[in-house]
Amino acid sequence: MHQIAEKIYWVGIKDWELRLFHGEEYTTHRGSTYNAYVIKDEKTALVDTVWTPFKEEFISALDRDIGLHNIDLVVVNHTEADHGGSLTLLMEKIPETPIYCTKKGAEMIKKYFHRDWNFKIVKTGDTVDLGEYKLVFIEAPMLHWPDSMMTYVQGPGVLLSNDAFGQHYATPQFFNDQVDRCELYQEAMKYYANILTPFSKLVRAKIDELKALNVPVNMIAPSHGVIWRDNPMQIVEKYYEWANNYHEGTVTIIYNTMWGSTKKMALAVAEGIESVGIPTKVFNLGKSDRNDVVTEVFKAKGILVASSVINNGILSDTAAILEMIKGLKFKNKVGAAFGSYGWSGENVKIIEDALQAAGIEVVLEGIKVKYNPTEEELTLCKDFGRRFGEKILSLGENNK
Ligand code: FEO
């Protein structure tokens, strides 16, 4: 238990060992935390729990530090197992305790945990008096699931924002001003790019709604990572920017190669793009972390995707990342394709179709090289890169 504000305590778990989240989908190089909070006023409220593997540790510490029977109400901001995963064990001990959640939250809890507890369904603006403080609920559907909501603690002005504004980032410290700012923003951006991008329109609408409430926000305590106490609105402003078709005007090249020909092409294409002054990053997908690459796609204006041909198709890592990019629904990015082939040569068309299906406008006809590129063909690749760079420049900053 760690006090984060007057009468408010962090009672979560720091998961130092976590390296993959959402099953095997999301890499967490710096671990993560599952943040749950207790507000100890005249009434005591527990907001969220922790992931299932930590349920015994969590409940035992909660019993020791707070006393389970002193908990007057439980708030479930979000059902997903990393936050709702200790509910069954908790509710075995205090089965009559009311659970405040959204309508969707109650439905999901029933489907996930196959239990029917004392649900109190809340909507935006509903409140619970704790004594000096008051909890105000704010529905936040799709941030990150349909059931999600935030809980604002009126009095100290603490927003318990659940997934929004979080980071998969385990640190000994609790607050944003105590940790390395570069690491913090790297993890916050990776989280946004890989999890929240498809919901960007909703993110902006929710931020507008939060601002319109015109209430003091002195601290934003998400359900993962560190708590924003130093200028907490900085992450809200950052989310607003990230949710607005974000890019940094750069190019990201992602490729797979079997015998190095597509790699040679990628490096020549990068040289061509940089010749017009656009910073370009190059990733071999077979050797790169896919979530880090997705973050680089998020930052780029131009996406070049390449693969050699295998079995009349493209290499599996390229296919996988194109599927991820499609699901994340990036907006306002342009792309093109290239790659080497031996005899059938389907790669460029497959990639171009996938880019278009992902909403990325293909602005340049792709290029192919048979077998191993000659010096002349590498010059053509360089020229292809230069023309792609010029396309990006022609779009201008007002395209952002
Ligand atoms: Fe951290 Fe959507 O769960």
Side-chain angles (χ1 to χ4, degrees):
M1 177 160 107
H2 184 89
Q3 186 163 14
I4 61 160
E6 200 182 338
K7 302 185 191 184
I8 305 182
Y9 300 85
W10 177 92
V11 292
I13 291 284
K14 298 196 181 197
D15 188 351
W16 293 98
E17 290 188 1
L18 188 79
R19 290 296 176 269
L20 288 167
F21 183 76
H22 274 163
E24 315 289 314
E25 274 298 299
Y26 186 112
T27 54
T28 49
H29 310 311
R30 297 186 172 100
S32 191
T33 73
Y34 316 108
N35 298 340
Y37 300 97
V38 163
I39 301 115
K40 269 177 82 177
D41 202 345
E42 286 165 32
K43 282 186 183 169
T44 296
L46 168 68
V47 179
D48 291 323
T49 70
V50 302
W51 189 27
T52 327
F54 297 95
K55 63 184 178 187
E56 277 92 6
E57 187 183 335
F58 169 71
I59 300 292
S60 143
L62 199 60
D63 199 20
R64 181 194 65 218
D65 296 337
I66 305 291
L68 297 181
H69 290 281
N70 294 323
I71 297 172
D72 296 293
L73 61 132
V74 176
V75 175
V76 174
N77 275 334
H78 180 25
T79 313
E80 197 168 4
D82 50 331
H83 311 297
S86 305
L87 272 177
T88 43
L89 184 58
L90 176 70
M91 299 314 288
E92 269 175 28
K93 318 272 185 191
I94 50 169
E96 303 305 324
T97 307
I99 295 179
Y100 288 76
C101 60
T102 61
K103 184 165 177 278
K104 287 273 182 208
E107 287 168 17
M108 284 187 188
I109 288 170
K110 287 180 201 170
K111 292 298 277 179
Y112 248 91
F113 304 115
H114 310 128
R115 303 282 200 287
D116 193 1
W117 294 305
N118 178 15
F119 295 114
K120 305 285 183 197
I121 306 299
V122 295
K123 300 189 295 297
T124 294
D126 288 349
T127 61
V128 173
D129 269 310
L130 297 181
E132 189 188 346
Y133 296 172
K134 189 188 269 187
L135 301 182
V136 183
F137 303 109
I138 303 160
E139 292 170 277
M142 299 318 295
L143 306 178
H144 146 245
W145 275 12
D147 65 319
S148 296
M149 69 171 185
M150 303 181 186
T151 300
Y152 176 73
V153 188
Q154 198 175 72
V158 174
L159 180 67
L160 306 175
S161 60
N162 198 261
D163 279 337
F165 315 122
Q167 333 90 44
H168 287 304
Y169 186 31
T171 61
Q173 302 88 353
F174 284 86
F175 299 104
N176 66 314
D177 51 291
Q178 298 172 313
V179 300
D180 183 297
R181 194 172 183 278
C182 293
E183 285 188 357
L184 171 59
Y185 268 98
Q186 193 179 29
E187 294 301 339
M189 181 186 265
K190 178 176 176 180
Y191 190 96
Y192 189 94
N194 282 272
I195 295 178
L196 292 173
T197 305
F199 313 115
S200 287
K201 252 176 115 167
L202 297 170
V203 168
R204 281 178 74 85
K206 187 52 58 183
I207 290 173
D208 286 337
E209 187 188 320
L210 286 172
K211 284 182 171 171
L213 292 175
N214 207 19
V215 292
V217 178
N218 299 318
M219 189 179 280
I220 296 178
S223 57
H224 298 290
V226 297
I227 295 162
W228 303 87
R229 74 171 174 189
D230 174 45
N231 180 17
M233 291 306 282
Q234 67 179 284
I235 189 61
V236 178
E237 298 306 333
K238 218 22 125 174
Y239 262 46
Y240 210 67
E241 195 184 336
W242 290 342
N244 189 25
N245 304 331
Y246 183 77
H247 70 81
E248 297 176 2
T250 56
V251 171
T252 293
I253 299 178
I254 51 181
Y255 74 92
N256 265 170
T257 192
M258 288 173 75
W259 295 108
S261 297
T262 300
K263 177 179 176 178
K264 285 181 194 166
M265 294 178 74
L267 296 176
V269 170
E271 206 182 323
I273 301 166
E274 290 196 324
S275 72
V276 297
I278 299 179
T280 303
K281 290 187 181 176
V282 185
F283 296 93
N284 180 335
L285 290 167
K287 298 175 190 287
S288 306
D289 179 283
R290 64 187 174 208
N291 302 106
D292 291 339
V293 170
V294 161
T295 311
E296 295 297 336
V297 169
F298 175 69
K299 287 156 72 174
K301 171 70 185 174
I303 315 300
L304 283 166
V305 183
S307 172
S308 38
V309 175
I310 187 167
N311 301 331
N312 304 110
I314 56 174
L315 292 168
S316 57
D317 284 326
T318 308
I321 205 145
L322 284 167
E323 185 65 17
M324 288 172 80
I325 290 171
K326 180 177 159 199
L328 288 166
K329 300 183 175 69
F330 292 114
K331 299 279 189 298
N332 198 30
K333 297 190 189 293
V334 297
F338 64 91
S340 70
Y341 70 107
W343 47 96
S344 56
E346 295 90 342
N347 48 353
V348 164
K349 178 158 186 347
I350 290 172
I351 294 168
E352 285 176 347
D353 288 350
L355 285 170
Q356 266 153 354
I360 294 175
E361 187 191 354
V362 176
V363 290
L364 205 57
E365 194 181 330
I367 54 165
K368 283 188 276 196
V369 163
K370 197 170 172 73
Y371 297 120
N372 195 15
T374 60
E375 281 306 315
E376 197 174 59
E377 284 167 328
L378 288 176
T379 303
L380 289 177
C381 290
K382 196 172 159 185
D383 184 61
F384 173 78
R386 180 189 54 73
R387 286 185 288 129
F388 186 74
E390 282 168 353
K391 285 269 181 199
I392 293 203
L393 292 177
S394 73
L395 295 169
E397 268 311 291
N398 57 3
N399 196 46
K400 188 172 174 178

